[in-house]
């Protein structure tokens, strides 16, 4: 007998069993049906993208390459350099993948494009770059040259058959999946022959379309590489092609291929981004067209203005018109929109057609100033030679007009004349000439500092300097006749700077050459026979002028000391150096005066050595040579760590350089002749009192070597001669010293060698005596091999004994 309770329970259990049976049948049916991956995992795969290691690494390289292409269009070499470094970093990170898959074509292509870009950049285009961009361009050129050496063969192969799109670069391996896909389609549709024929025709059409698309894409890539602009339709088509995301044929795994077909939810966002890119490209093309059109219009306008200035300007020769026009040109000098070339052409036409020396002098005064303003527009660190020569020609004409005796300066226009002090107009004209002369000379010195010494241009600039000195000689005599002390002192300093470093023997050779070629050299810089008298005269003009400052007087004094030193007048040079207290003045003055003082001191030491004064030569050179910065101290080297432009200002022109090897050789030889006898006299005492620490240290290093090769440079010859000198062997020591090549540069080399031989004999005899001092003897006969003065040796030995 069963109750209602158990009846309900049985009913519930039967319902549960039926539900379970239905679920089991559903599971079985689901197992039989194929899984629809698109429906089951669409939500998860919308946000998750699975990429292989190759795609990750090569994708990073491709993204950097795209950035480089964008910066190439605007010639932003700073950004290109940074992106190129990022590209190499991404390439290094992908080395494992590259070893398996090979170097990506995108990397070889961008290396080829960058190499052509930096090599084909014209000088005019390079001048248009800013300083920072120009520096980045030079750095990029060096990096590209170094980087492309590693992939030289790949780049050469690419250059033979350049590929500008990925579709052109498909290899045979990538073409194989296409053929397999085509075969599968034919097999699946083999039931009906008609359908097969239709499919074959469709596939042929698709292949034709693909080949046409590939050719169009490669043509478009080539046009972009050459810098040609694209039309709006071409830009749109290229963007549409970039947005098409079809699976590559080499990916056959369904799990990998499905990701190209699932991401459809972001179509609207992609469409907006694509439209933005199209608009941006079209805007860039439009801006480029506007810039080019504007440049053409400006060039045409300049040409028209030049024609107007040359042909249609009517010149009025009245003084009022000239003064008005000169005032107008001078007031517009600060206006950047004014073309200086137009003003120069106008002033040149006025100068050629105007009558009257006074008016022509007024025009020249303004014309020279405008030419100086024109020179500032150039990007060079010094004035261009063509402009410099034009100003020199104008300055010659200015001097000829200025020196005319019948010229009345009081009749000059109000603009040129001093309104308050009309009687000082003549002085203003003279001062203007000297100012322009100083500026020309300073620009010439700048050009010497920035040009290579071995070029023909440097020789031409030396000839230009000779013409400038010739004009200075005329001006100096003219101001002497006018008794203008201020301008006499200015021109005297410039003439002194042009002649103080020249030796009389060099000037004599130049005079002989001039006589041989029938050249009048009276006003040339080498025309003076007695240079000592001329230097003394010029320096006295500067010393006696009451308004000369201490810096100018100190510079003139150092020029005179330098000139005395190169002519072996050691006593005069030393007395000038000590009495004038130039050292204290140079220590508290600017760097240029300190460099001039160091150069004069070096020449004084070389002069003492030529005369056989070893102690004086060593005292003058030891501090400079042991500082470790000899080249910088005498202004013949540029420190790369500091500001290069500041270093260039201190740099001495190459034709004024003193041979550094000569300075170091004389310093080491002087130290050898003093240090070796000192060591031989008493080793213990010598260790306590060192004459030259630098020489002692280098000599100890040389002696500690187990094997010393035959001498090659001047240091090796000096250290080898030191060992022979310590033995008392003067002959071998002198033979080694005579093989140094510095003696050929001395004018009186025979006399210098004779003085050196005498000092070597004296020091060798001292070493011989000190070596055998332990032997007891009552008297000593001077060996015949030491042909030295007994009195000199006796005095030196007596001093040593004390």
């Amino acid at each position: 007998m069963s109750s209602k309770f158990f009846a309900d329970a049985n009913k519930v259990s039967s319902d549960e069993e039926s539900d379970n049976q239905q679920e089991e049948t559903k599971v079985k049916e689901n197992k039989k049906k194929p899984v629809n991956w698109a429906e089951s995992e669409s939500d998860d795969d919308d946000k998750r993208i699975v990429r292989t290691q190759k795609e990750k690494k090569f994708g990073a390289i491709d993204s950097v390459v795209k950035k480089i292409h964008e910066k190439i269009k605007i010639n932003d070499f700073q950004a290109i350099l940074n992106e190129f470094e990022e590209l190499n970093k991404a390439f290094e990170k992908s080395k494992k993948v590259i070893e398996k898959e090979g170097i990506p074509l995108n990397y070889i292509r961008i290396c080829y494009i960058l190499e052509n870009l930096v090599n084909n950049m014209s000088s005019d285009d390079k001048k248009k770059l800013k300083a920072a961009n120009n520096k980045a361009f030079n750095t990029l050129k060096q990096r590209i040259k170094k980087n492309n050496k590693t992939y030289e063969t790949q780049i050469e192969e690419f250059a033979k058959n350049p590929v500008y799109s990925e579709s052109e670069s498909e290899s045979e391996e990538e073409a194989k999946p296409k053929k397999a896909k085509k075969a599968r389609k034919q097999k699946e549709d083999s039931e009906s022959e008609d359908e097969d024929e239709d499919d074959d025709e469709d596939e042929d059409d698709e292949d034709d379309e693909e080949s046409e698309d590939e050719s169009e894409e490669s043509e478009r890539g080539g046009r972009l590489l050459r810098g040609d602009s694209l039309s709006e339709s071409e830009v749109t088509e290229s963007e549409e092609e970039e947005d098409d995301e079809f699976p590559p044929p080499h990916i056959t795994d369904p799990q990998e291929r499905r990701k190209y077909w699932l991401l459809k939810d972001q179509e609207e966002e992609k469409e907006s981004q694509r439209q933005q890119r199209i608009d941006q490209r079209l805007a860039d093309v439009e801006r480029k067209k506007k810039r080019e059109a504007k440049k053409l219009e400006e060039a045409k306008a300049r040409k028209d203005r030049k024609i107007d200035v040359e042909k249609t300007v009517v010149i009025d020769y009245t003084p009022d018109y000239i003064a008005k026009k000169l005032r107008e040109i001078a007031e517009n000098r600060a206006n950047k929109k004014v073309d200086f070339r137009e003003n120069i052409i106008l002033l040149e036409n006025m100068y050629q057609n105007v009558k009257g020396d006074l008016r022509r002098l007024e025009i020249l005064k303004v014309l020279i100033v405008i030419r100086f303003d024109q020179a500032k527009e150039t990007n060079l660190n010094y004035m261009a030679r063509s402009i410099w020569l034009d100003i020199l020609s104008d300055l010659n004409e200015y001097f000829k007009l200025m020196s005319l005796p019948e010229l009345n300066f009081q009749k000059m226009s109000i603009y040129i004349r001093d309104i308050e002090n009309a009687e000082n107009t003549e002085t203003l004209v003279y001062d203007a000439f000297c100012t322009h002369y100083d500026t020309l000379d300073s620009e010439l010195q700048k050009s010497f500092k920035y040009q290579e010494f071995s070029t023909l241009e440097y020789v031409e600039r030396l000839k230009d300097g000779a013409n400038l000195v010739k004009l200075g000689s005329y001006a100096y005599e003219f101001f002497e006749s006018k008794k203008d002390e201020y301008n006499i002192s200015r021109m005297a300093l410039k003439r002194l700077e042009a002649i103080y470093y020249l030796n009389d023997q060099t000037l004599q050779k130049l005079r002989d050459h001039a006589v041989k070629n029938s050249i009048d050299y009276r006003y040339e810089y080498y025309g003076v026979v007695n240079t000592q008298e001329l230097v003394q005269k010029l320096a006295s003009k500067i010393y006696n002028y009451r308004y000369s400052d201490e810096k100018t007087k100190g510079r003139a004094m150092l020029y005179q000391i330098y000139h005395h030193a190169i002519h072996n007048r050691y006593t005069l040079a030393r007395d000038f150096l000590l009495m004038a207290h130039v050292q204290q003045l140079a220590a508290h003055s600017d760097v240029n005066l300190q460099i001039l003082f160091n150069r004069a001191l070096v020449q004084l030491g070389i002069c003492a050595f030529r005369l056989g004064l070893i102690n004086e030569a060593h005292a003058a050179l030891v501090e400079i040579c042991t500082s470790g910065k000899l080249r910088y101290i005498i202004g013949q080297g540029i420190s790369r760590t500091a500001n290069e432009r500041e270093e260039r200002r201190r740099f001495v022109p190459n034709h004024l350089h003193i041979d550094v090897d000569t300075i170091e050789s004389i310093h080491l030889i002087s130290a050898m002749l003093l240090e070796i006898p000192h060591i031989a006299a008493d080793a213990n005492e010598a260790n306590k009192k060192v004459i030259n620490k630098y020489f002692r240290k280098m000599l100890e290093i040389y002696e500690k070597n187990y094997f010393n090769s035959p001498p090659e440079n001047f240091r090796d010859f000096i250290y080898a001669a030191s060992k022979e000198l310590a033995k008392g062997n003067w002959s071998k020591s002198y033979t080694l010293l005579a093989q140094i090549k510095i003696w050929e540069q001395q004018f009186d080399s025979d006399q210098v060698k004779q003085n050196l031989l005498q000092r070597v004999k004296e020091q060798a005899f001292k070493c011989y005596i000190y070596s055998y001092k332990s032997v007891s003897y009552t008297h000593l006969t001077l060996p015949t091999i030491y042909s030295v003065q007994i009195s000199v040796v006796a005095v030196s030995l007596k001093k040593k004994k004390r």
Side-chain angles (χ1 to χ4, degrees), residues 162-367:
V163 179
Y164 303 120
S165 64
E166 292 296 334
S167 58
E168 292 184 26
S169 62
E170 286 184 348
S171 60
E172 294 180 358
E173 295 179 358
E174 294 178 351
K176 288 180 181 179
K178 287 186 177 180
K179 295 180 181 179
K181 180 180 178 181
K182 185 176 180 180
R184 284 196 303 272
K185 282 187 176 182
Q186 291 176 356
K187 189 175 180 180
E188 290 174 358
D189 299 335
S190 60
E191 294 178 359
S192 61
E193 295 178 357
D194 297 335
E195 291 178 359
D196 291 341
E197 292 175 0
D198 295 338
D199 292 339
D200 293 338
E201 291 176 359
D202 294 338
E203 287 172 4
D204 294 336
D205 294 338
E206 288 176 2
D207 293 339
D208 295 338
E209 290 176 359
E210 286 179 4
S211 61
E212 291 176 1
D213 294 340
E214 290 172 1
S215 61
E216 290 176 1
E217 185 179 353
S218 62
E219 182 182 356
R220 188 159 55 245
R223 290 176 61 189
L224 283 173
L225 184 64
R226 293 189 298 271
D228 299 339
S229 59
L230 300 177
S231 63
E232 181 177 356
S233 61
E234 289 175 338
V235 173
T236 309
E237 289 174 4
S238 63
E239 290 293 336
E240 290 175 354
E241 291 170 3
E242 288 176 4
D243 290 338
D244 292 338
E245 295 188 356
F246 293 103
H250 63 274
I251 299 177
T252 57
D253 187 6
Q255 296 281 347
E256 294 294 331
R257 294 175 65 86
R258 66 189 177 85
K259 64 184 179 181
Y260 292 93
W261 306 95
L262 296 179
L263 302 179
K264 302 299 183 183
D265 295 337
Q266 301 176 357
E267 285 297 330
E268 295 180 359
E269 184 180 354
K270 286 184 178 180
E271 182 66 23
S272 63
Q273 292 178 357
R274 185 179 68 83
Q275 188 63 35
Q276 289 178 4
R277 290 198 297 270
I278 292 173
D279 295 341
Q280 183 66 28
R281 287 194 180 186
L282 290 175
D284 292 341
V285 172
E286 191 66 26
R287 281 197 297 270
K288 185 177 180 181
K289 289 181 180 179
K290 288 182 179 179
R291 285 198 301 268
E292 292 177 354
K294 187 177 180 181
K295 288 181 180 178
L296 291 174
E297 291 177 0
E298 290 178 354
K300 186 178 179 182
R302 283 197 300 269
K303 187 176 180 181
D304 295 340
R305 286 198 300 269
K306 184 176 180 181
I307 293 172
D308 293 341
V309 169
E310 291 178 346
K311 295 184 178 181
T312 63
V313 170
V314 178
I315 300 177
D316 194 350
Y317 305 117
T318 61
D320 294 336
Y321 173 79
I322 293 175
K324 179 182 177 181
K325 202 65 182 176
L326 294 179
R327 185 184 298 107
E328 179 184 345
I329 292 173
E331 288 175 353
N332 292 330
R333 284 177 58 195
N335 190 354
K336 295 183 179 179
K337 295 182 180 180
V338 175
D339 192 353
F340 292 112
R341 289 170 291 185
E342 295 180 4
N343 292 333
I344 289 172
I345 294 171
L346 179 61
L347 290 170
E348 286 177 348
N349 290 335
M350 290 176 63
Y351 179 77
Q352 292 173 2
N353 295 291
V354 77
K355 295 180 181 179
D357 296 331
L358 195 62
R359 301 292 168 257
R360 298 177 74 187
L361 183 63
E362 294 173 356
I363 296 169
L364 276 178
K365 190 175 187 299
V366 179
L367 178 59

Side-chain angles (χ1 to χ4, degrees), residues 388-421:
W388 192 93
L389 291 175
D390 291 339
I391 297 176
L392 179 62
S393 177
D394 293 340
L395 200 60
N396 274 301
E397 294 296 325
Y398 186 95
F399 175 74
K400 290 178 183 178
L401 295 173
M402 179 185 72
S403 57
L404 292 175
E406 66 274 7
L407 205 64
N408 187 0
F409 295 101
Q410 306 300 327
K411 294 183 179 181
M412 296 184 75
S413 62
I414 298 175
Y415 169 70
I416 302 296
R417 192 175 67 241
D418 188 0
I419 300 174
E420 297 180 358
N421 300 314

Side-chain angles (χ1 to χ4, degrees), residues 11 39 48 82 87 98 166 212-213 268 468 480 606 613:
K11 186 178 181 180
E39 295 178 0
R48 180 172 60 86
N82 295 333
L87 177 64
I98 291 171
E166 292 296 334
E212 291 176 1
D213 294 340
E268 295 180 359
L468 185 65
E480 272 195 328
I606 296 174
L613 305 174

Side-chain angles (χ1 to χ4, degrees), residues 705-752:
N705 292 337
Y706 182 76
F707 173 75
N708 288 316
S709 60
E712 296 179 357
N713 51 39
F714 67 92
R715 292 185 180 85
D716 294 342
F717 280 109
I718 294 172
Y719 297 142
S722 301
K723 294 183 70 174
E724 298 298 331
L725 184 65
K727 300 175 185 176
N729 191 349
W730 65 267
S731 177
K732 224 171 190 180
S733 178
Y734 174 75
T735 303
L736 290 168
L737 294 177
Q739 295 180 29
I740 303 175
K741 297 181 180 180
I742 63 170
W743 315 117
E744 300 173 359
Q745 303 173 5
Q746 306 296 325
F747 287 107
D748 48 353
S749 58
D750 295 335
Q751 184 62 38
V752 173

Side-chain angles (χ1 to χ4, degrees), residues 103-138:
I103 300 175
L105 180 62
N106 261 353
Y107 184 79
I108 299 298
R109 183 190 297 117
I110 197 63
C111 290
Y112 173 75
I113 291 172
L114 289 175
E115 184 177 3
N116 287 340
L117 178 65
V118 298
N119 291 336
N120 297 331
M121 176 71 72
S122 62
S123 58
D124 295 335
D125 294 338
K126 192 176 178 182
K127 288 179 181 178
K128 295 177 183 178
L129 300 176
K130 294 183 179 180
N133 212 13
N134 194 2
K135 185 178 180 181
F137 172 81
N138 295 329

Side-chain angles (χ1 to χ4, degrees), residues 80-105:
I80 294 173
L81 178 61
N82 295 333
E83 295 298 338
F84 184 70
E85 292 176 354
E86 292 295 330
L87 177 64
N88 285 331
K89 290 179 182 178
F91 189 81
E92 287 293 329
K93 293 178 181 178
S94 309
K95 270 199 169 180
K96 293 183 179 179
V97 179
I98 291 171
E99 289 175 359
K100 296 179 181 179
E101 304 293 339
I103 300 175
L105 180 62

Side-chain angles (χ1 to χ4, degrees), residues 663-677:
I663 301 172
E664 293 184 352
S665 299
I666 290 175
H667 164 247
L668 292 176
I669 292 172
S670 303
M672 177 195 74
L673 295 176
L674 296 176
E675 192 73 48
I676 297 300

